[in-house]
Amino acid sequence: MNHYLELFSRNMGEGGAPDAKREFLELGRLAGKFPAARSLRDGVTSEISVWCSNDYLGMGQHPLVLAATREALDEYGAGSGGSRNIAGTNHYHVLLEKELADLHGKADALLFTSGYTANDGALTVLAGLPEKCVVFSDEMNHASIIDGLRHSGAEKRIFRHNDTSHLEELISATDPDRPKMIVMESVYSMGGDVAPLAEIARIAREHGAMTFLDEVHAVGMYGPEGAGIAAGLGIADEFTVIMGTLAKGFGTTGGYIAGPAELVDAVRGLSRPFIFTTALPPAVAAGALAAVRHLRTSEEERDRLRENARLTHRLLRERAIPFLSDGSHIVSIFVGDDALARRISALLLARHGIYVQAVNAPSVRVGQEILRSAPGAVHEPADIEGFVTALDGIWRELGVTRAQGPHMSSGTDG
């Protein structure tokens, strides 16, 4: 066993990542006070401000969500009792799936325990079931898409990031009689840039391709009623399947797909991550349902998110601090060096009580390291000014390279 552990440790160190060991900050978000959190470091507890949460709208702290969660918890208990195939389907699962299908204007929807398993489980079936299916996947699609396509066994062709000319070149060179699928994200998780969805929809329409659109960083935050980027463009009906999450804009946890009943039925009946995984607890589904319903009628949170993102972009430009894209609320600050990104992150936390995570390989490519910040709807303008001022001071102290305008570089594991 010791020999195995020695070999394992050696191979981990040679695996290509700058540092195979990942360290996590212990913190607890304070209900009703987010973005404030309580952090335990070196035996000392202190209050910090979180700048890298995916709970972009603060719905994980919203009174309506908390009340719905408590009510369902009191009625049904903490767990779901098993997979839906064995333990049955709670009424909150049914209500939430109907709400999500309606949100996206689709015939049906299906819940998963996470966004990762939704992509993996759905794509394994949808790309794998049609014989000789060819999948065209954006090179920056994230890991759950990559894994789902690998598990499907379908032939995969990668097009350059957001490059519709390359996509059209690849799809035009493919046998027109073969089943085709185009897979992309709407808002990319590391760079924060937005896909050219209208052009992708045109290509899919002209070549008879099915489309699978990952809207995890958009649902709740963009489009009418928070239905996403495609809905905001008025073209949601041109995307065959919409995939989303409950863990970001909706503030809870879980993932889902919405689409034609026949396709959703196929995933429900064949997807191993769905069939063999314990279902979401009813209390989580109830909280998510409350969040979806609230955001379908409230623009307040989306308005604040847009205003805070614009303010952050403007202040970073004024101080020539490089960031990847001004296309969304994800404001990834470009560093380009793993050790330096970690150093900046540590200084922000130690000196200013600001927590923003340094991101390295495999989440981004080596040499593309970032601080992935996400000023949310819960931040105040004064908070954003303080955040950028703190960054500016560290940039000056460490002599970090300044931008000549926004640094429009991005990368992730494709």
Side-chain angles (χ1 to χ4, degrees):
M1 179 176 178
N2 288 339
H3 178 62
Y4 171 81
L5 291 176
E6 180 182 341
L7 290 173
F8 186 82
S9 298
R10 184 187 308 153
N11 288 335
M12 282 287 287
E14 297 171 356
D19 185 350
K21 182 180 179 181
R22 292 186 178 269
E23 297 180 356
F24 303 102
L25 180 67
E26 182 179 340
L27 63 81
R29 302 194 310 158
L30 299 177
K33 293 183 66 178
F34 187 67
R38 187 178 297 117
S39 172
L40 178 63
R41 291 171 287 152
D42 300 323
V44 177
T45 300
S46 61
E47 190 169 303
I48 63 173
S49 179
V50 177
W51 286 83
C52 50
S53 172
N54 286 339
D55 187 1
Y56 302 123
L57 300 176
M59 293 306 296
Q61 309 281 324
H62 196 284
L64 290 175
V65 175
L66 298 183
T69 302
R70 291 190 191 100
E71 183 179 345
L73 181 66
D74 289 341
E75 185 173 5
Y76 295 113
S80 60
S83 71
R84 290 166 69 176
N85 293 275
I86 293 175
T89 289
N90 186 272
H91 188 50
Y92 280 115
H93 297 141
V94 176
L95 291 176
L96 181 54
E97 286 175 341
K98 288 182 178 178
E99 192 76 28
L100 291 167
D102 189 62
L103 172 68
H104 293 293
K106 302 298 184 184
D108 202 358
L110 184 66
L111 290 172
F112 286 79
T113 53
S114 71
Y116 190 101
T117 56
N119 266 337
D120 186 9
L123 285 170
T124 298
V125 175
L126 296 176
L129 201 57
E131 187 177 356
K132 296 184 178 179
C133 181
V134 183
V135 180
F136 302 87
S137 179
D138 190 289
E139 68 173 326
M140 295 300 179
N141 282 338
H142 50 212
S144 55
I145 291 175
I146 294 167
D147 287 353
L149 294 179
R150 284 174 178 164
H151 295 156
S152 75
E155 183 178 336
K156 185 170 67 171
R157 296 176 186 172
I158 308 301
F159 61 93
R160 291 186 293 271
H161 180 50
N162 282 345
D163 187 338
T164 53
S165 295
H166 190 217
L167 168 61
E168 193 154 28
E169 176 188 329
L170 291 174
I171 203 167
S172 296
T174 303
D175 183 346
D177 293 328
R178 292 184 67 175
K180 302 173 189 66
M181 177 190 290
I182 304 173
V183 183
M184 79 249 66
E185 303 174 39
S186 59
V187 177
Y188 282 85
S189 59
M190 291 295 120
D193 51 330
V194 178
L197 295 185
E199 186 65 8
I200 291 173
R202 178 194 65 78
I203 293 169
R205 185 170 60 251
E206 291 180 0
H207 291 272
M210 171 185 169
T211 45
F212 186 99
L213 175 60
D214 179 321
E215 291 252 39
V216 296
H217 291 279
V219 289
M221 295 163 291
Y222 297 92
E225 301 184 0
I229 298 289
L233 296 171
I235 56 173
D237 60 339
E238 298 205 41
F239 291 89
T240 317
V241 174
I242 303 288
M243 178 268 169
T245 185
L246 305 168
K248 296 178 173 62
F250 298 126
T252 57
T253 193
Y256 65 89
I257 60 167
E262 299 86 349
L263 298 185
V264 174
D265 277 343
V267 175
R268 185 183 289 113
L270 297 172
S271 171
R272 294 170 69 86
F274 173 78
I275 293 169
F276 296 107
T277 300
T278 297
L280 287 175
V284 172
L289 178 63
V292 174
R293 285 176 171 172
H294 173 76
L295 289 172
R296 293 190 72 177
T297 61
S298 174
E299 289 295 328
E300 179 183 354
E301 292 83 3
R302 286 189 282 275
D303 288 343
R304 287 204 307 265
L305 185 71
R306 282 191 293 268
E307 290 166 4
N308 285 345
R310 288 169 184 156
L311 176 60
T312 309
H313 297 147
R314 178 173 66 79
L315 294 177
L316 289 171
R317 282 196 187 96
E318 288 175 358
R319 291 158 176 79
I321 296 173
F323 61 98
L324 299 186
S325 172
D326 62 1
S328 73
H329 61 285
I330 298 173
V331 186
S332 293
I333 298 159
F334 183 81
V335 180
D337 178 89
D338 180 41
L340 182 58
R342 293 182 188 222
R343 175 66 174 153
I344 296 170
S345 175
L347 287 173
L348 285 170
L349 186 61
R351 292 182 182 174
H352 304 281
I354 291 172
Y355 175 52
V356 57
Q357 184 62 44
V359 178
N360 61 10
S363 299
V364 296
R365 292 171 179 160
V366 174
Q368 295 285 310
E369 291 80 6
I370 58 174
L371 299 172
R372 188 189 179 277
S373 70
V378 293
H379 291 95
E380 298 293 336
D383 298 330
I384 296 171
E385 290 171 3
F387 171 58
V388 176
T389 297
L391 279 172
D392 186 51
I394 293 172
W395 240 251
R396 186 180 303 108
E397 176 186 341
L398 300 183
V400 185
T401 301
R402 299 278 180 171
Q404 304 299 316
H407 189 109
M408 304 298 283
S409 170
S410 72
T412 188
D413 178 23

